[in-house]
Amino acid sequence: MAENPGTEKVEDLLKYVHDGSYVIPYFQRGFEWQPSMVCDLIESILQNYYTGLILLWNLKQEEAQGEKWDPIWGAELRNTPSKAILDGQQRLSSLYYAIYNPQKMFPNRKSYYVFFLDLNKVLNSDYDDSVTYKFYFSYQSWKNIIKGKKEWTETGIIPISTLSAKDPNDINQKFIDSTEFDAWLNEYIEKNRDKLPEGITTHKVYRIINGILNYTFVFYPLSSDRDLPDICNIFARVNAKGMKLSTFDLMNAFLYPKGVELRKGLWEGLDNEILKNIDSNMNEYLLKLISLTKQNYCSSKYIYNLIPGQKTIRKDTSGKKYEEVLVKSGEDFISLWKESCKYAEKAREIIMNTGDADFGAIKTDFVPNTTIVPVLGAILKEYNGDPDNSNFNNNLKKWYWAAVLSEDYSGSSDSVMAKDFRDWKEWINNGKNIERIDKITKDFINELDLKNIKKGSAQYNAILCILSLNDAKDFYKGRIVGTGDYSNDKINDHHIFPKQVKGLDVENSKTFNDYKDSIVNRTLLLDETNNRIKNSKPSQYIFEMIDKYGHINEVKSILKEHLINEEAFAHLKNDDFDNFITEREKSIKKHIISKLDI
């Protein structure tokens, strides 16, 4: 049953939030809006625009005490809650953070944010950018904020936390109701009369400021008679406004009544920060890995088949349909999740290490396609044979490089992921060819336009990985990048001809502006070495390298590991950018062809 909808002022809603009466269920996502979205909401409220309804669930006493709840971002759980927020968390969190100024960093940031209202703009009915923000590395208490009161008078820009602040002389009274604020308001109007509409009064300013607190939301309360599974289903389907719920968010809601805390327990409890930080969507990739191994597909509609007890229609080898429950219980799902994490980590290790059977992404930023992680993890789980099997490793190497160089895993790739996994299963079980391996030919590699590939693309990162696998040594340190005592954050893709190099011959550098940032003019170096080279011409720093290593052949040997062959080296030594770029592109392609044995 549902109760009648009603309205509630922002001021009252935030009081309930502040005292812990209104809470967030564990199956909800967290506060994810950006600061600019907070500003947009308040600007809409200032104009009295409709900003959506608030969906609440009235809690029974035993439900309120027995379940787990999160407070709104920055608030505390002071009391037994009375209502759970099913839709409206982002809006209420935004308003609470801006108005109550909690002592908590803004979500997904390492700083505190203070939001401001430009009275001059609003009083002139100019609402664009009338709400702004600043960030601070330390918390700005009301005691600190009020010190800027003189500047408020000059600019008309006041902190929105004024709306909740207490009068320094009377903690039982709001600051905006105090004589001190009234005196400030009169001073502000007098100081800014030439910037404000004629006939402006303190009453009108009060009405604007208090209009934020008096703005009313329509709220719709769901009866306490509804049970938790029903509430989770309603929440999962409330996805028409605001930020679209991800597959992970929806699965989190569907699994909660099954005894599975997907977000709070399994994902946030995962003790593998490297795996989690590879991609913000890794939580969903882990679900895709489970889905691949259970049903050969991984798009969202298949992931929902993993809800414990969910019946799905499948086909046998003859095409006959049958009904099956893929995951029988919450305990079974948890077991599958843990197994998924295990094989995703195995996949990550192979992608990010530099051994003979690894793929060389020495930094998370260098992983060509993070969507390969669930497929590779599923392949490793399906194979589960001798890891030193040369036939398996050879096919894995060819498949991986074919996948990243084709860039088929960039963008929406669920169908590609599923097709590759099914091909792998056929190879593992029946020895059939893996189609992707056959797609990458010598002609395909030779036709790649390496000079124009974009920084950060799969092909760009693949070449950085190939350099790390080629045991490329730092120009000056002479030690292999990404290993030993080097910290990964000190290694980056730096220019060979420096970006600001001076004194190049115009006739030999006609393409410099076009290709100076190209991957063919980049390699892996320590930041320290890049700073040492600065804007030197290659001929200058090569001379220093010869002086360090004692012989030009030693320098050639080091540069060869950076896929700078004899011909490219000659052009480098002569500061001939145009011919160097052409020759190095050939050298990189020749190396890839050799690596793939095609």
Side-chain angles (χ1 to χ4, degrees):
M1 297 292 292
E3 298 180 3
N4 293 325
T7 58
E8 196 77 84
K9 293 193 299 183
V10 165
E11 183 172 23
D12 294 327
L13 285 169
L14 296 189
K15 284 179 181 176
Y16 298 136
V17 163
H18 187 65
D19 69 16
S21 296
Y22 286 11
V23 291
I24 308 298
Y26 260 30
F27 55 76
Q28 268 258 37
R29 64 187 176 206
F31 180 26
E32 297 177 354
W33 273 18
Q34 302 299 315
S36 61
M37 299 166 80
V38 177
C39 296
D40 290 343
L41 173 65
I42 298 174
E43 286 171 7
S44 293
I45 286 174
L46 287 166
Q47 298 169 83
N48 204 32
Y49 290 167
Y50 174 71
T51 56
L53 61 78
I54 305 292
L55 182 63
L56 304 171
W57 174 33
N58 290 325
L59 301 175
K60 295 177 182 176
Q61 184 74 10
E62 60 271 22
E63 191 87 57
Q65 293 176 339
E67 289 295 329
K68 298 176 182 177
W69 312 101
D70 278 329
I72 281 285
W73 187 267
E76 297 178 14
L77 294 177
R78 294 182 174 88
N79 300 309
T80 300
S82 61
K83 288 179 172 61
I85 303 166
L86 300 183
D87 189 36
Q89 178 201 172
Q90 306 299 324
R91 285 164 287 161
L92 292 177
S93 296
S94 297
L95 291 168
Y96 184 78
Y97 196 94
I99 293 172
Y100 274 73
N101 187 38
Q103 191 171 347
K104 191 166 185 176
M105 292 180 181
F106 199 82
N108 303 313
R109 306 293 174 101
K110 293 183 178 179
S111 48
Y112 302 86
Y113 280 67
V114 177
F115 291 82
F116 297 89
L117 175 66
D118 189 330
L119 285 175
N120 288 354
K121 276 180 168 281
V122 174
L123 290 168
N124 281 289
S125 299
D126 178 8
Y127 297 102
D128 289 343
D129 300 321
S130 60
V131 179
T132 56
Y133 58 84
K134 293 180 182 178
F135 66 87
Y136 303 85
F137 292 112
S138 60
Y139 174 65
Q140 300 299 298
S141 66
W142 174 241
K143 184 177 179 181
N144 284 337
I145 289 173
I146 202 172
K147 290 177 182 177
K149 193 162 58 129
K150 184 177 180 181
E151 186 180 349
W152 307 352
T153 309
E154 299 290 333
T155 64
I157 299 174
I158 65 171
I160 291 176
S161 57
T162 303
L163 294 172
S164 71
K166 299 296 184 181
D167 179 4
N169 302 313
D170 183 358
I171 60 171
N172 295 314
Q173 179 175 252
K174 289 197 302 183
F175 177 65
I176 56 173
D177 294 332
S178 67
T179 54
E180 182 179 352
F181 184 76
D182 191 62
W184 173 84
L185 196 52
N186 279 288
E187 182 184 0
Y188 157 72
I189 291 175
E190 189 62 35
K191 187 86 173 176
N192 290 272
R193 282 201 182 277
D194 60 329
K195 302 174 186 175
L196 301 175
E198 287 188 21
I200 199 73
T201 63
T202 57
H203 175 72
K204 182 166 184 180
V205 181
Y206 271 118
R207 196 170 65 204
I208 292 288
I209 295 172
N210 282 309
I212 298 174
L213 294 176
N214 291 328
Y215 177 86
T216 57
F217 279 101
V218 176
F219 75 90
Y220 191 85
L222 296 176
S223 169
S224 58
D225 293 339
R226 293 181 180 270
D227 59 17
L228 184 59
D230 187 27
I231 290 295
C232 288
N233 278 318
I234 291 171
F235 164 75
R237 287 165 174 76
V238 177
N239 194 20
K241 296 183 180 293
M243 293 179 65
K244 189 173 178 64
L245 295 174
S246 70
T247 302
F248 182 85
D249 293 326
L250 293 169
M251 283 295 288
N252 185 46
F254 287 133
L255 289 167
Y256 192 75
K258 309 293 184 180
V260 179
E261 293 183 7
L262 182 60
R263 177 172 64 88
K264 277 287 185 181
L266 299 183
W267 173 245
E268 293 183 6
L270 178 60
D271 186 22
N272 188 333
E273 292 303 315
I274 299 177
L275 180 64
K276 291 167 81 170
N277 290 334
I278 285 180
D279 192 304
S280 59
N281 293 318
M282 185 54 66
N283 50 17
E284 190 166 313
Y285 294 166
L286 292 169
L287 295 175
K288 289 181 184 291
L289 199 163
I290 299 172
S291 184
L292 285 170
T293 58
K294 292 296 288 184
Q295 53 189 335
N296 299 331
Y297 295 91
C298 61
S299 62
S300 295
K301 69 177 183 178
Y302 288 98
I303 289 176
Y304 299 138
N305 292 337
L306 302 177
I307 299 167
Q310 179 76 22
K311 294 179 181 178
T312 182
I313 304 298
R314 307 194 70 190
K315 291 182 181 180
D316 60 22
T317 54
S318 67
K320 185 178 179 181
K321 293 182 179 179
Y322 65 97
E323 193 175 74
E324 183 180 10
V325 174
L326 296 176
V327 183
K328 292 182 172 54
S329 66
E331 291 79 7
D332 288 344
F333 181 89
I334 292 170
S335 178
L336 288 167
W337 172 269
K338 290 179 178 178
E339 193 173 42
S340 174
C341 295
K342 170 186 170 183
Y343 282 99
E345 172 59 13
K346 285 179 180 289
R348 185 205 66 78
E349 288 177 350
I350 292 173
I351 291 170
M352 296 190 67
N353 280 312
T354 56
D356 291 340
D358 298 321
F359 301 130
I362 58 175
K363 296 175 67 172
T364 55
D365 289 346
F366 295 165
V367 176
N369 290 115
T370 54
T371 46
I372 284 184
V373 172
V375 185
L376 180 54
I379 291 168
L380 296 173
K381 180 179 183 301
E382 181 70 22
Y383 174 65
N384 206 23
D386 180 6
D388 296 323
N389 183 314
S390 59
N391 198 18
F392 172 76
N393 286 331
N394 188 48
N395 270 348
L396 197 65
K397 177 180 72 173
K398 289 183 176 181
W399 166 79
Y400 179 85
W401 293 113
V404 299
L405 291 171
S406 70
E407 296 204 312
D408 285 346
Y409 276 73
S410 303
S412 181
S413 54
D414 287 342
S415 59
V416 173
M417 296 161 68
K419 172 67 166 62
D420 276 6
F421 178 67
R422 293 195 303 273
D423 280 1
W424 265 100
K425 282 186 71 173
E426 284 295 311
W427 179 82
I428 291 169
N429 297 319
N430 304 312
K432 291 186 178 180
N433 285 352
I434 299 167
E435 186 177 329
R436 178 165 302 285
I437 293 175
D438 297 330
K439 285 184 176 180
I440 303 299
T441 64
K442 188 181 295 187
D443 288 341
F444 175 88
I445 301 300
N446 282 325
E447 288 173 9
L448 291 175
D449 183 8
L450 300 184
K451 291 193 291 290
N452 286 303
I453 59 177
K454 293 181 179 179
K455 180 177 172 63
S457 69
Q459 291 176 349
Y460 185 101
N461 284 349
I463 292 170
L464 295 179
C465 295
I466 287 168
L467 286 166
S468 69
L469 290 172
N470 204 42
D471 292 341
K473 298 184 182 71
D474 183 74
F475 285 1
Y476 286 127
K477 293 290 185 180
R479 295 169 66 185
I480 297 171
V481 293
T483 60
D485 297 329
Y486 295 148
S487 172
N488 285 349
D489 62 1
K490 295 180 180 178
I491 300 167
N492 282 293
D493 49 322
H494 291 299
H495 294 80
I496 298 172
F497 277 75
K499 192 173 185 177
Q500 303 294 333
V501 64
K502 305 294 183 184
L504 292 182
D505 188 319
V506 175
E507 288 303 312
N508 295 329
S509 57
K510 294 176 181 177
T511 62
F512 183 76
N513 286 332
D514 293 328
Y515 301 135
K516 61 184 177 182
D517 293 322
S518 167
I519 188 61
V520 292
N521 186 41
R522 288 179 180 265
T523 195
L524 292 174
L525 295 173
L526 286 170
D527 294 348
E528 177 186 343
T529 292
N530 185 61
N531 291 333
R532 181 173 173 181
I533 290 173
K534 289 186 178 178
N535 299 328
S536 300
K537 292 190 289 188
S539 60
Q540 294 172 320
Y541 69 73
I542 285 174
F543 179 81
E544 292 183 14
M545 291 174 69
I546 293 171
D547 184 57
K548 172 180 172 58
Y549 294 109
H551 199 284
I552 192 171
N553 288 339
E554 287 294 321
V555 176
K556 286 182 179 180
S557 177
I558 288 174
L559 295 180
K560 186 177 180 181
E561 292 159 353
H562 291 262
L563 305 183
I564 298 172
N565 62 16
E566 189 82 25
E567 292 81 2
F569 174 76
H571 298 312
L572 188 67
K573 187 166 64 73
N574 293 327
D575 299 324
D576 183 345
F577 179 84
D578 294 340
N579 283 312
F580 170 78
I581 289 294
T582 300
E583 196 58 49
R584 188 165 188 249
E585 183 176 34
K586 292 179 185 176
S587 179
I588 292 171
K589 289 179 179 179
K590 184 177 179 180
H591 180 82
I592 293 172
I593 290 168
S594 173
K595 187 174 187 64
L596 294 179
D597 192 24
I598 53 177

